Amino acid sequence: MTLKTPSRRDPEKFPAFQLFILAIVRLAEPIALTSIFPYAWALIKRYQIGNEEDASFYAGLLISSFALAEALMGMYWGGLSDRIGRKPVLLLGCVGTMFSMIMVGFAYNIWIALAGRVIGGLLNGNIAVIQTMVGELVTKPEHEPKAYSIMPFVWSVGTIIGPMIGGLFADPHESYPHLFPTGSLFQRFPYLLPNLICAALLLVSITMGYFLLEETHPDMQPRISLPDNTFLSENTPLIETSDAIKRPAVDMRDENYGTMRDRDIKEPKHIEKQHTNIFSKRIMAVVVSLSIFTYHSMTYDHLMPIFFEDDRVPIHALFGTVNPLYSPGGLGLSLQAVGMILAVQGIIALVVQAVIFPPLAERIGVHRLFIIVTVLHPIAYMIVPGLLYVPDQLLYPAVYFCLGVRNFLSIILYPLLLILIKEATPSPSVLGKVNGLAASAGAACRMIAPPVAGYLYAMGKRVDCTALAWWGSALVAVFGAVQCFSVKRYPARKTEEEERFEP
């Protein structure tokens, strides 16, 4: 009989290499999902669906269809990863997203594009699986802020590259007629090129994940190397039991031999799963907070390119009215300019994630920082309509100021919510299911957010008050600022050294 190969990863050290590979697998997904943002509005207008004034609403439906399908299947994929492992579910999600991109690229009407987005969402459970894998890779609480900031960091990198690909390569016949002449494939399918580029990046991620990514499910781990000071004898079992992940059955040299170790005592699996309630008050409070944040954050991502590309009214016309609610149109920027602005937003998010978040979380604390940024979040939405009153020469600095405020708050808040979800999970055996629940709830909010925000924008446009959509998002953020206080602070988990000196 052949023994399993010992893992080369030391569970006491920060899992830098595996998190790096997981980040590479993760990177292609935000690129693929955000590449549609710059041209979704133009795509709807090209298909001539409904009135042109309603294009923002239908663009919201197209974007949210992926999230709708993802919400329906999120808990299923999370539960399946608890049974068959994280890695196969993760790779299948990447394959589904790749197929979705190709289908959208070759779509010649709205229904095929919509079907492609739905299929991609149905096959994708990666949000829950990736959160679970990070939680299983990180075993020491002091590593959590750094580890949980990596995936949002990767998402920020993807939001730099994705909108650039979508903005620069959408409708290449129009932008680069000498490279993509009349009668070419890319004239017939103007949004094929950005989708093919994203599909190729997904293929690279799938290949790297298949060969380099380790399975993290606790029950599917290969036998890991034991510490050098572990007592081994001819009576030590060669094949570990389910409880012996990190220790042999007995280490008589351990000074705690003969004492009770609460954290090492586990119920049998069938008993543990039977009594574990994933719908507890503590878990649901964090899930609701995550859902509210996901909703208003998604409205920002959906409204921003529409507001930037919408026709601009001259400033003198704005100051010539006494109506304080008068806020017609948008900023009148080009598709390429919006793509670059979205890319710069990603750079801002990277700086916040890499430079600002770790020391803030360490100094202020996870729960206190969570309360602060949640309470301040409505500001990010209230200041955006003010861009209508900014002169042209100051417009770009003002845009980047608004994006800086928004990213400071949202990029800090998301990893804090991930940490709180992990801390609220009562047992590692249901971590995948809890993350699946959170992913489904978040996907449901991402499904609702774009069409609702698009509808408010279209309604506001008819009455010359496009600020209505931004105020609606701010109102939801206010609800989140109130609800965040229901997420109670719990004592930090005790370390092994602290437990060792307990009486």
Side-chain angles (χ1 to χ4, degrees):
M1 182 176 63
T2 304
L3 293 176
K4 295 179 181 179
T5 305
S7 173
R8 291 168 292 180
R9 181 170 60 86
D10 185 350
E12 297 299 316
K13 294 182 179 179
F14 186 77
F17 179 75
Q18 280 301 301
L19 286 174
F20 171 75
I21 299 300
L22 188 61
I24 295 297
V25 176
R26 175 64 166 154
L27 177 61
E29 191 171 6
I31 293 175
L33 296 181
T34 60
S35 65
I36 195 175
F37 286 178
Y39 64 82
W41 194 45
L43 182 148
I44 293 297
K45 292 197 292 184
R46 184 184 185 91
Y47 289 146
Q48 298 180 344
I49 305 298
N51 298 325
E52 184 172 334
E53 291 181 346
D54 297 327
S56 59
F57 171 72
Y58 290 109
L61 289 178
L62 179 63
I63 293 173
S64 66
S65 59
F66 183 96
L68 167 62
E70 190 179 29
L72 295 175
M73 298 295 289
M75 284 195 68
Y76 170 78
W77 292 120
L80 184 64
S81 74
D82 284 335
R83 297 192 300 272
I84 70 171
R86 319 299 184 196
K87 184 174 176 179
V89 175
L90 178 65
L91 297 180
L92 178 61
C94 292
V95 172
T97 304
M98 182 175 67
F99 179 76
S100 170
M101 302 301 298
I102 296 174
M103 193 169 177
V104 172
F106 279 105
Y108 53 85
N109 60 46
I110 184 63
W111 305 113
I112 295 178
L114 196 62
R117 298 282 294 178
V118 170
I119 291 173
L122 289 174
L123 295 176
N124 192 302
N126 286 3
I127 294 179
V129 175
I130 287 175
Q131 291 175 8
T132 304
M133 294 182 76
V134 173
E136 290 169 341
L137 285 169
V138 179
T139 58
K140 299 179 75 66
E142 56 267 30
H143 292 160
E144 286 180 347
K146 182 178 179 181
Y148 276 102
S149 68
I150 291 176
M151 293 307 139
F153 180 88
V154 171
W155 181 271
S156 301
V157 174
T159 59
I160 297 174
I161 304 172
M164 285 184 63
I165 293 175
L168 295 177
F169 297 105
D171 201 359
H173 170 69
E174 185 71 23
S175 302
Y176 316 103
H178 57 290
L179 295 176
F180 303 94
T182 303
S184 65
L185 179 67
F186 297 101
Q187 182 194 19
R188 184 181 177 187
F189 301 104
Y191 306 108
L192 174 61
L193 184 58
N195 284 281
L196 285 180
I197 294 173
C198 293
L201 293 174
L202 279 163
L203 182 60
V204 173
S205 292
I206 293 168
T207 304
M208 293 188 66
Y210 180 81
F211 288 105
L212 299 176
L213 192 63
E214 293 180 4
E215 176 59 62
T216 63
H217 194 296
D219 294 338
M220 300 176 188
Q221 291 285 325
R223 180 172 59 85
I224 66 173
S225 299
L226 298 173
D228 293 336
N229 62 347
T230 302
F231 176 77
L232 297 175
S233 72
E234 64 274 9
N235 295 321
T236 302
L238 292 177
I239 302 178
E240 66 272 17
T241 63
S242 60
D243 288 346
I245 300 297
K246 294 185 179 179
R247 306 176 183 274
V250 175
D251 184 355
M252 291 184 292
R253 299 187 307 171
D254 192 340
E255 63 186 58
N256 285 296
Y257 173 67
T259 64
M260 298 291 291
R261 289 180 180 271
D262 291 340
R263 63 184 295 175
D264 289 340
I265 298 176
K266 298 183 182 294
E267 292 182 290
K269 281 186 183 178
H270 67 281
I271 297 176
E272 182 179 295
K273 292 184 179 180
Q274 182 179 356
H275 293 287
T276 301
N277 178 22
I278 68 169
F279 297 100
S280 66
K281 184 177 179 180
R282 181 181 181 185
I283 293 176
M284 293 309 298
V286 185
V287 170
V288 170
S289 187
L290 174 66
S291 301
I292 295 174
F293 165 70
T294 302
Y295 175 88
H296 62 70
S297 180
M298 188 65 184
T299 62
Y300 197 107
D301 291 334
H302 175 63
L303 289 172
M304 183 170 50
I306 296 174
F307 180 69
F308 287 176
E309 295 174 31
D310 202 359
D311 296 333
R312 187 174 195 188
V313 174
I315 295 181
H316 62 81
L318 296 174
F319 287 104
T321 180
V322 295
N323 183 4
L325 303 180
Y326 186 64
S327 53
L331 303 183
L333 302 177
S334 67
L335 181 64
Q336 287 73 23
V338 171
M340 292 305 299
I341 288 174
L342 293 177
V344 173
Q345 177 190 224
I347 296 175
I348 296 172
L350 283 179
V351 173
V352 174
Q353 192 69 66
V355 178
I356 299 177
F357 170 71
L360 270 183
E362 183 177 353
R363 174 167 300 200
I364 300 177
V366 170
H367 186 267
R368 188 179 301 172
L369 185 59
F370 160 71
I371 296 294
I372 292 172
V373 295
T374 304
V375 170
L376 293 177
H377 236 104
I379 297 173
Y381 302 95
M382 296 298 295
I383 62 178
V384 176
L387 294 172
L388 294 172
Y389 296 87
V390 176
D392 291 341
Q393 60 269 26
L394 298 177
L395 182 59
Y396 280 95
V399 166
Y400 293 134
F401 171 77
C402 291
L403 294 180
V405 172
R406 188 263 175 149
N407 281 277
F408 175 81
L409 297 172
S410 64
I411 296 301
I412 287 177
L413 180 54
Y414 184 62
L416 295 175
L417 285 165
L418 299 185
I419 294 173
L420 291 171
I421 287 175
K422 180 186 176 183
E423 291 180 349
T425 303
S427 168
S429 66
V430 294
L431 184 58
K433 191 171 291 186
V434 170
N435 280 320
L437 171 65
S440 292
C445 292
R446 286 197 303 274
M447 168 197 71
I448 299 171
V452 171
Y455 175 77
L456 290 176
Y457 190 90
M459 187 169 64
K461 189 174 175 65
R462 291 191 182 96
V463 296
D464 290 332
C465 184
T466 55
L468 177 65
W470 296 103
W471 295 339
S473 300
L475 181 61
V476 176
V478 170
F479 288 148
V482 175
Q483 187 275 336
C484 72
F485 291 98
S486 67
V487 179
K488 302 300 181 183
R489 184 178 185 181
Y490 289 83
R493 289 177 295 178
K494 295 178 181 180
T495 64
E496 188 171 334
E497 289 296 324
E498 290 171 335
E499 290 183 346
R500 184 170 294 181
F501 289 102
E502 281 187 350

